[in-house]
Amino acid sequence: MFRHFKLCIGTLVRLFRSRQGLLLENLALRQQLAVLKRRTPRPSLGNFDRLFWVVARRLWSGWRQSLILVTPETVVRWHRAGFRLYWKLVSRASGPIGRKPASPEVRDLIFRMVADNPTWGAPRIHGELLMLGFEVSERTVSRWMKRAPRNPEPAKRWRAFLRNHREAIAAMDFFTVPTITFGLLYCLFVIGHDRRRILHFNVTKHPASQWIVQQLREAFPFDSALRFLIFDRDSKYGAEVPAAVRSLTITPLRTSFECPWQNGVAERWIESCRRDLSKTKRLASDLAPNSSPLYMDRGKAVGAEVLSTIVGFRIPAFEMRNPHRFRSGRRFDEEQVLLF
């Protein structure tokens, strides 16, 4: 503290010195600083020293020419650190932020309603809680519904069904691929659970229900031995797709909301296809000689024709490395795989 007071007194005394005396004193001090810098290449600076140079930066335009102990970037970094510290102190909350946490009684009541009424959603449970006198938001109810303990029996039954009927089950799903022109291409595929064969694949820009129905007719011939088709609750299917599946003497099975694990075979193939597409960077005209010379770069296609060609070339490679291909010592005929 005495050192800082002495510095202030020296500054006031030098206000009455002549210009020639100040210049000579400045020259002598610079010579001593040069000697000190040779002896101590990196001197330590205190908080007051940093504050002095931050203020000098704001008030003096020629501060860079007189700074030799540290670099100007260091002073700028000190200024930014002081700015962050100031706003951190100003914006410090004086009390609790946000809503009050839900009480254990409300959480247990939400869990009980979810267990006793599986078909109830967040709006219904929220209304019941309001009628019981509990002030809680619908968002809180939805968040705690996801944490409710689930009954493991339905999951066990679903896995047993998939294991026992895999020869008669197929799965259908969509995945999207971004284009270079900032659009989206929708890829529909049908995969068999028995040997993980791709029964059908096609690409479109506008996935309407009529288009999906036509793809199902091409994927399942009249002598198909499949009995079940698993797909999610996407709005693209509408009511026409389940009706078309029933007309093919196949039972449609819709997965539950937000349960992609129920269609795990399709989800795993989507991940494999995305991984292959992300590594693809080649000229599409090399694959399709009649197409325009467009690139497929890092998973971004130019058109549906380009994407169909590239994925069509990737499907045989996927089936060759598929471990389900040689299950039970048997091998399916590769010539019977329907690509398009």
Side-chain angles (χ1 to χ4, degrees):
M1 185 66 183
F2 179 74
R3 184 185 60 180
H4 300 156
F5 179 74
K6 184 177 179 181
L7 178 62
C8 295
I9 295 299
T11 303
L12 294 176
V13 170
R14 283 165 178 79
L15 292 177
F16 302 97
R17 299 278 297 273
S18 63
R19 179 177 178 81
Q20 183 179 4
L22 290 175
L23 291 176
L24 293 175
E25 183 181 4
N26 191 7
L27 179 61
L29 291 176
R30 283 184 175 274
Q31 194 277 335
Q32 296 178 64
L33 282 175
V35 175
L36 180 62
K37 189 174 181 181
R38 287 197 300 268
R39 294 182 58 186
T40 308
R42 192 177 180 84
S44 59
L45 300 178
N47 294 331
F48 181 81
D49 302 322
R50 298 178 181 180
L51 180 62
F52 170 80
W53 282 107
V54 168
V55 175
R57 175 177 178 266
R58 297 298 300 271
L59 302 180
W60 184 24
S61 61
W63 64 278
R64 291 177 181 268
Q65 289 75 20
S66 302
L67 185 62
I68 60 175
L69 294 179
V70 294
T71 61
E73 289 76 13
T74 303
V75 177
V76 175
R77 187 172 68 251
W78 292 343
H79 192 189
R80 292 174 178 173
F83 183 82
R84 289 193 297 267
L85 179 61
Y86 169 77
W87 282 108
K88 182 179 179 180
L89 296 175
V90 170
S91 59
R92 180 180 298 177
S94 58
I97 301 175
R99 303 189 188 97
K100 295 181 179 180
S103 62
E105 181 183 4
V106 174
R107 294 200 299 266
D108 295 341
L109 190 57
I110 293 174
F111 294 161
R112 181 178 176 183
M113 289 184 178
V114 171
D116 296 342
N117 307 277
T119 60
W120 284 11
R124 177 68 181 274
I125 296 179
H126 177 241
E128 296 292 336
L129 291 175
L130 292 180
M131 287 190 293
L132 293 176
F134 294 101
E135 294 293 336
V136 61
S137 67
E138 183 177 337
R139 176 63 179 172
T140 302
V141 174
S142 176
R143 184 171 63 251
W144 283 106
M145 284 180 63
K146 297 178 181 179
R147 304 180 185 179
R150 302 292 181 180
N151 184 12
E153 292 301 324
K156 293 180 181 179
R157 292 196 296 267
W158 180 259
R159 293 192 183 97
F161 167 76
L162 296 180
R163 184 173 57 253
N164 296 334
H165 300 277
R166 58 187 171 191
E167 291 83 3
I169 298 177
M172 174 177 63
D173 205 350
F174 274 93
F175 68 93
T176 59
V177 176
T179 65
I180 296 179
T181 57
F182 306 103
L184 284 179
L185 294 177
Y186 295 85
C187 309
L188 172 69
F189 68 95
V190 181
I191 183 171
H193 276 218
D194 184 22
R195 300 298 181 87
R196 306 301 196 261
R197 282 196 308 171
I198 303 301
L199 305 177
H200 190 75
F201 179 86
N202 211 336
V203 183
T204 182
K205 293 182 179 179
H206 309 287
S209 58
Q210 293 80 5
W211 181 84
I212 300 175
V213 170
Q214 179 60 32
Q215 302 308 311
L216 291 176
R217 291 173 182 153
E218 298 177 7
F220 300 108
F222 291 103
D223 56 348
S224 176
L226 296 175
R227 295 170 48 197
F228 305 99
L229 180 63
I230 301 175
F231 53 98
D232 55 23
R233 299 180 179 271
D234 199 320
S235 60
K236 292 190 288 294
Y237 300 126
E240 294 83 0
V241 174
V245 173
R246 294 187 188 95
S247 67
L248 298 172
T249 65
I250 299 176
T251 303
L253 299 177
R254 310 291 292 270
T255 60
S256 302
F257 291 100
E258 299 182 358
C259 292
W261 65 269
Q262 293 184 350
N263 199 5
V265 173
E267 296 294 338
R268 281 192 291 271
W269 190 81
I270 291 175
E271 179 63 25
S272 177
C273 192
R274 288 187 185 277
R275 187 167 54 249
D276 291 343
L277 289 178
S278 64
K279 300 176 183 178
T280 301
K281 186 177 182 181
R282 62 187 304 178
L283 193 65
S285 59
D286 297 340
L287 300 176
N290 297 327
S291 64
S292 57
L294 301 176
Y295 282 96
M296 174 75 184
D297 187 4
R298 300 297 181 186
K300 291 187 177 181
V302 176
E305 179 185 0
V306 176
L307 183 60
S308 298
T309 305
I310 292 178
V311 177
F313 273 80
R314 298 303 303 172
I315 289 176
F318 166 78
E319 292 176 344
M320 288 294 293
R321 65 173 184 263
N322 183 13
H324 296 271
R325 184 168 173 261
F326 297 95
R327 187 171 57 82
S328 302
R330 295 176 299 171
R331 177 172 179 264
F332 68 82
D333 188 6
E334 297 176 4
E335 299 296 331
Q336 296 179 356
V337 178
L338 181 61
L339 297 183
F340 300 103

